[in-house]
Amino acid sequence: LLQLPVPIAVFFLLYKERMVPCFGSSSHPLLSADELALETRPTDKDELPSTLHRAQAAAAGHEDLFSCCQSKNFRGASYTYYAVHITGALVLFMTDGIVGEYSGFIYSYAVEEPLSVVHKVAGYLPSLFWAFITLGRLISIPVSYRMKPATMVFINVVGVLMTFLLLLIFSSSVVFLFVGTASLGLFLSSTFPSMLAYTEDILQYKGCATTVLVTGAGIGEMVLQLLVGSIIHDQGSYSFLVCGMIFGGLAFTFYALLLFFHRMYPKPSSDVDEASPDKPAAMDDTGQYQR
């Protein structure tokens, strides 16, 4: 309920800007093309026509916000174009789902047999998990300057899989439960931003292609919590680690498929960009909502 005012305000802004295709609006956009041109304040009179043209293009882009969702913009796209989106979203579906289900049920797992951790001590586990997620995100900032996003995602996915494997092997050790929780938080911390950076390097997109990945991550965080909760209720607390192991294995499998489709994905030509660096990215055979 506390978050509801934000999407309501954003929807109202989109409605005022006439960006919502399902609702007609007689109001004018907040900034017209002429006003956008004045905002740029060109210093030379010769620059005014080009500035106005860019402003009009920007205004047209705002009015056509949902154009990337239209079927005509996907004509001629190769199957690898869709495969990269789907496999990338599935990796985030699994990894963000693990974040949600692990933080939600690690306390319940710890207080049950065979560990039977004291409730007060078990309460530190979710805090430890989120603390190392925060620490991992801070560490990933300097690491990302020296390491490619694909390598970071690979390390994260393999680390998650190996951590769950060790948690299953040492399932009766309370000490390793804390160590494994911290390790899992570190590996999961930078998976989401690294995956976004990796797929952006492949697709070179700007716009609502990100929605596919973000939506996959959000749905995974919601669905896997519900799924794991029902399984723990029916099968017992030990199934908590088994589910994590399965999800980690699926994340690794989908990432391997993503690497496979990346190799098959046609590289976009850079001739157009080199010839006119200020020109928006032209359409190619990989997709049509690159603007």
Side-chain angles (χ1 to χ4, degrees):
L1 290 176
L2 289 174
Q3 295 179 9
L4 278 179
V6 176
I8 291 174
V10 172
F11 179 82
F12 178 75
L13 180 61
L14 292 174
Y15 177 77
K16 293 291 291 183
E17 283 285 299
R18 293 182 293 187
M19 294 180 178
V20 183
C22 301
F23 297 90
S25 174
S26 59
S27 61
H28 298 286
L30 298 182
L31 285 178
S32 63
D34 294 334
E35 291 171 327
L36 286 172
L38 291 176
E39 289 290 330
T40 58
R41 298 182 183 276
T43 57
D44 199 276
K45 292 183 179 179
D46 296 334
E47 296 177 0
L48 183 60
S50 60
T51 305
L52 181 60
H53 176 72
R54 288 197 298 268
Q56 290 173 345
H62 286 309
E63 294 175 357
D64 204 22
L65 176 67
F66 295 92
S67 63
C68 60
C69 302
Q70 298 175 3
S71 60
K72 65 180 182 180
N73 294 313
F74 298 102
R75 294 171 185 171
S78 63
Y79 75 95
T80 54
Y81 177 78
Y82 302 101
V84 169
H85 281 81
I86 294 172
T87 51
L90 287 174
V91 172
L92 293 181
F93 180 93
M94 294 299 167
T95 54
D96 271 50
I98 291 173
V99 172
E101 62 94 6
Y102 194 89
S103 61
F105 295 105
I106 183 58
Y107 172 84
S108 302
Y109 169 74
V111 297
E112 296 290 336
E113 295 182 357
L115 294 174
S116 301
V117 180
V118 180
H119 289 264
K120 184 177 180 180
V121 177
Y124 292 117
L125 285 168
S127 300
L128 179 69
F129 179 69
W130 286 109
F132 272 83
I133 283 183
T134 304
L135 178 63
R137 286 172 179 169
L138 291 174
I139 295 174
S140 66
I141 296 173
V143 171
S144 63
Y145 283 95
R146 299 178 176 272
M147 193 176 296
K148 294 181 178 181
T151 306
M152 293 183 66
V153 177
F154 176 78
I155 293 174
N156 291 334
V157 173
V158 172
V160 169
L161 186 60
M162 294 304 298
T163 300
F164 271 115
L165 179 61
L166 293 174
L167 283 171
L168 280 171
I169 295 174
F170 301 101
S171 59
S172 59
S173 173
V174 177
V175 175
F176 192 81
L177 179 63
F178 278 82
V179 175
T181 299
S183 174
L184 200 63
L186 280 176
F187 286 120
L188 287 169
S189 60
S190 60
T191 305
F192 183 85
S194 298
M195 178 58 72
L196 288 181
Y198 178 39
T199 51
E200 185 175 359
D201 289 343
I202 301 174
L203 301 170
Q204 298 186 358
Y205 56 76
K206 295 179 181 179
C208 58
T210 315
T211 306
V212 178
L213 302 178
V214 177
T215 303
I219 294 176
E221 192 170 356
M222 176 185 66
V223 170
L224 293 193
Q225 288 190 66
L226 179 63
L227 178 62
V228 172
S230 60
I231 292 176
I232 292 176
H233 182 268
D234 294 335
Q235 304 296 328
S237 61
Y238 187 77
S239 59
F240 168 71
L241 294 181
V242 177
C243 289
M245 183 69 185
I246 294 173
F247 298 149
L250 289 174
F252 180 81
T253 303
F254 292 135
Y255 181 69
L257 290 174
L258 177 59
L259 292 177
F260 173 74
F261 290 121
H262 180 199
R263 288 182 174 273
M264 301 180 63
Y265 187 76
K267 295 182 179 180
S269 59
S270 58
D271 298 338
V272 177
D273 297 333
E274 292 176 357
S276 54
D278 293 334
K279 186 178 180 180
M283 295 182 296
D284 54 21
D285 60 347
T286 60
Q288 296 192 10
Y289 59 69
Q290 299 174 3
R291 299 186 181 274

